């Protein structure tokens, strides 16, 4: 990403899977293109800084790394962020982005149809490497077991935290979604941040956690996001095992619930409350055929009671709202992003919150007074009517570790 001049013009290099390169540029003026470039800049490869049509990211820390840069790492390959040794195969070390992110990339790039594309032999080579890696990762997705390459010593825990400090001095907390399900020793734990441990009398482990990093000192195993993880001295970061001794990860076969669209008459919905633990929340305008309906696309059925629409799930959610909808909303995701799609502007007050993701939304500033806040990322509110004096609904947009970007077409 390049930022030039006093006008703060941002440029990113986009590379399609066919090897076509485009230089996408926009001033930070709150326009639709500025929001698109801001979103795409977060998907740059941490090494070559290119944005791919379908990015890949590391399993250990979730940072974007393209296949060509991964293959160019010297052996033994290590994560460029916290220098932990990779497992050695592209399907074990990299993962594909969620489909909702790829769809958002496609829609963002479509705003730049007027930008000419070029392509060199190097671009073709990089795109082929990316394509081959995606096919390899997808073809191995059905594998149900995985093992770490190197055991770690009992006192190596701090060396494997990737920069996380004070791992041994954390207070107890219950926030997140780790529950133990098998074992046979006494149980005690320390946890904080995005993880929690539910205690049962016949299950035994020692836990230490720092934010989105978990360290299992001893025990027979845990159940993490539907996967049975066995071993000792485990270090788990962003839901992935990065080191441990005698580690086995097994994914029991289960049938995922089908994704369906659930429609509700707008006049019956005064408030929307959606909570998803891992997925993204995409907000978009309703299609003309259902212009008087509120639609939720999810694997679980929402509950409408006393004009409050509630949904609690563990996957991506798509929310389609009529242009006339001004009811309140509270949207929360633990690990995902909250995004508005293209031209839709939020006209409701309430709260948008994510623990580890980004918020990238567009609001109608004539109706909504939007406020952005983040603990570790950047917060930008770029709207034309930010300081009007008439009464408006307040929309608080908050991210614990990600970025918050709010814009308006005026």
């Amino acid at each position: 990403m390049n930022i030039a001049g006093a006008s703060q013009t941002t440029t990113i290099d986009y590379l399609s899977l066919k090897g076509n390169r485009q230089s996408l540029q926009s001033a930070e003026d709150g326009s639709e293109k500025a929001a698109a470039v801001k979103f795409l800049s977060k998907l740059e490869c941490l090494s070559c800084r290119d944005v791919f049509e379908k990015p890949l990211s590391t399993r250990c820390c979730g940072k974007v790394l393209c296949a060509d840069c991964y293959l160019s790492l010297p052996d033994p390959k290590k994560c460029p962020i916290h220098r932990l040794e990779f497992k050695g195969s592209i399907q074990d070390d990299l993962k594909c982005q969620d489909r909702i992110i790829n769809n958002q990339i496609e829609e963002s790039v479509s705003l730049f149809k007027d930008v000419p594309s070029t392509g060199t032999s190097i671009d073709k080579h990089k795109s082929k490497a990316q394509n081959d890696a995606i096919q390899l990762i997808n073809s191995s997705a059905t594998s149900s077991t995985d093992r770490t390459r190197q055991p770690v010593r009992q006192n190596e825990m701090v060396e494997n935290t990737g920069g996380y400090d004070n791992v041994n001095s954390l207070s107890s907390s219950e926030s997140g979604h780790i529950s133990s399900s098998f074992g046979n020793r006494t149980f005690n734990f320390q946890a904080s941040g995005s993880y929690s441990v539910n205690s049962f009398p016949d299950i035994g482990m020692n836990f230490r956690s720092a934010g989105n990093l978990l360290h299992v000192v001893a025990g027979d195993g845990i159940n993490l996001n539907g996967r049975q993880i066995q071993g000792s001295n485990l270090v788990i970061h962003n839901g992935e095992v990065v080191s441990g001794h005698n580690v086995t990860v097994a994914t029991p076969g289960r049938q995922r619930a089908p994704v369906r669209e659930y429609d509700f008459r707008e006049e019956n919905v005064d408030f929307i409350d959606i909570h998803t633990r891992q997925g993204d929340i995409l907000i978009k305008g309703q299609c003309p055929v259902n212009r008087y309906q509120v639609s939720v696309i999810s694997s679980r059925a929402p509950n409408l009671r006393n004009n409050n629409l509630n949904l609690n799930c563990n996957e991506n959610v798509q929310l389609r709202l009529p242009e006339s909808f001004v009811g309140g909303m509270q949207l929360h995701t633990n690990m995902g992003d909250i995004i508005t799609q293209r031209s839709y502007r939020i006209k409701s007050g309430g709260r948008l919150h994510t623990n580890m993701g980004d918020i990238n939304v567009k609001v109608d500033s004539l109706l909504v007074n939007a406020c952005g806040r983040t603990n570790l990322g950047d917060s930008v509110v770029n709207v034309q009517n930010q300081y009007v004096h008439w009464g408006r609904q307040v929309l608080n947009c908050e991210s614990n570790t990600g970025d918050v970007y709010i814009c308006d077409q005026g």
Side-chain angles (χ1 to χ4, degrees), residues 7 9 13-14 104 122 240 325 338 345 355 364:
S7 61
T9 298
D13 289 318
Y14 170 77
Q104 185 72 10
I122 296 177
E240 300 294 336
F325 182 80
I338 301 177
R345 294 182 294 168
N355 281 331
D364 187 335

Side-chain angles (χ1 to χ4, degrees), residues 186-206:
T186 58
F187 191 96
N188 64 80
F189 64 88
Q190 289 181 296
S192 76
S194 59
Y195 291 110
S196 74
V197 181
N198 298 326
S199 174
F200 300 95
D202 58 339
I203 298 166
M205 283 149 279
N206 296 314

Side-chain angles (χ1 to χ4, degrees), residues 246-277:
N246 295 329
V247 179
T248 300
V249 182
T251 304
R254 65 182 181 93
Q255 185 175 3
R256 178 172 293 183
V259 175
R260 290 184 50 193
E261 179 175 331
Y262 300 90
D263 298 323
F264 305 87
R265 291 187 61 83
E266 178 187 3
E267 62 191 36
N268 296 330
V269 180
D270 294 334
F271 191 83
I272 300 173
D273 187 356
I274 295 178
H275 185 287
T276 175
R277 284 170 287 281

Side-chain angles (χ1 to χ4, degrees), residues 77-95:
K77 299 183 186 300
K78 295 182 179 181
C79 174
I81 296 298
H82 45 60
R83 308 306 299 166
L84 290 180
E85 186 173 336
F86 281 137
K87 297 178 182 178
S89 63
I90 204 164
Q91 64 268 33
D92 289 334
D93 296 329
L94 300 182
K95 61 182 178 180

